[in-house]
Amino acid sequence: MINAVLVFNNSGQPRLTKFYTQLDTAVQQRLISEIFTLVANRPSSSCNFLPLPPLLAPSKSSTPAPASSTPTDTPSLITYRHYATLYFILISTSTESPLALLDLIQVFVEALDRLFENVCELDLIFHFETLHAVLGEMIVGGVVVETGLDKVVRGVREQGKIMRRSGNTGGRSGGLGGGILGGFGLRGG
């Protein structure tokens, strides 16, 4: 299960925070700060996986768990990718494959690339509804429901058409355009 999706800029300012598990706001703020500090201070040659900081890591209870217990839905892993000026971070349980999570981040970024032309951090700020729409096409309630790039992009574009038909765009196409990978230093495809 995905417990949270976070996007930070290089200065640590959150550009997206989506929690799929209930947490107190103060705990969320401390967690965001701790995770950014951990991720930003890692050398670029380090792997993209980290254990969750003690703030949310499962506590050791005095009652030992049965030997046959299955993995729990307790958040335990941070998976991240750094593209140009943005960090894309997932907090997940041990039941999720870390490599699949890296692929999920890649699809998320590529979907944004197809929807924005020459995307930059400001696009994510001013067109946050598109950012949330992409995330909503991929993850529902903490469960990954779609990783097909074409299906995600098509779904978000269809949402944009519905918004335009109802007159909610204020004269602009809702930020749905054409490319991001160039903006994040990746090769286009």
Side-chain angles (χ1 to χ4, degrees):
M1 179 178 173
I2 307 294
N3 298 96
V5 177
L6 309 170
V7 178
F8 296 106
N9 67 8
N10 286 342
S11 301
Q13 297 169 318
R15 297 304 180 209
L16 170 70
T17 57
K18 177 69 175 173
F19 286 87
Y20 295 101
T21 53
Q22 185 68 31
L23 288 176
D24 182 53
T25 304
V27 173
Q28 284 182 8
Q29 294 302 316
R30 282 185 39 218
L31 183 66
I32 288 169
S33 176
E34 284 186 33
I35 288 176
F36 174 75
T37 302
L38 284 171
V39 169
N41 291 330
R42 288 176 64 85
S44 60
S45 60
S46 296
C47 74
N48 294 26
F49 314 110
L50 288 165
L52 194 64
L55 184 63
L56 272 189
S59 60
K60 307 289 187 233
S61 63
S62 57
T63 310
S68 64
S69 67
T70 59
T72 64
D73 279 344
T74 306
S76 61
L77 180 67
I78 298 170
T79 305
Y80 73 96
R81 292 281 310 259
H82 185 217
Y83 295 102
T85 62
L86 296 171
Y87 289 93
F88 291 81
I89 301 167
L90 299 176
I91 301 173
S92 66
T93 62
S94 61
T95 58
E96 295 290 336
S97 164
L99 294 177
L101 294 175
L102 278 178
D103 186 51
L104 181 68
I105 292 171
Q106 182 69 27
V107 171
F108 183 52
V109 170
E110 287 186 29
L112 292 172
D113 181 47
R114 288 195 185 177
L115 293 165
F116 290 107
E117 188 171 328
N118 297 320
V119 73
C120 66
E121 184 179 343
L122 290 176
D123 290 322
L124 302 183
I125 294 169
F126 292 118
H127 303 289
F128 63 90
E129 66 281 348
T130 303
L131 185 65
H132 282 277
V134 171
L135 193 59
E137 287 288 322
M138 297 177 71
I139 303 171
V140 175
V143 177
V144 178
V145 293
E146 185 59 64
T147 58
L149 181 58
D150 293 333
K151 287 183 179 180
V152 170
V153 171
R154 190 177 324 113
V156 174
R157 285 187 174 146
E158 289 298 318
Q159 289 178 32
K161 288 178 185 175
I162 292 169
M163 285 175 33
R164 279 192 297 274
R165 246 184 271 142
S166 65
N168 291 336
T169 62
R172 181 153 177 173
S173 66
L176 303 177
I180 187 176
L181 292 180
F184 286 123
L186 298 175
R187 293 186 333 186

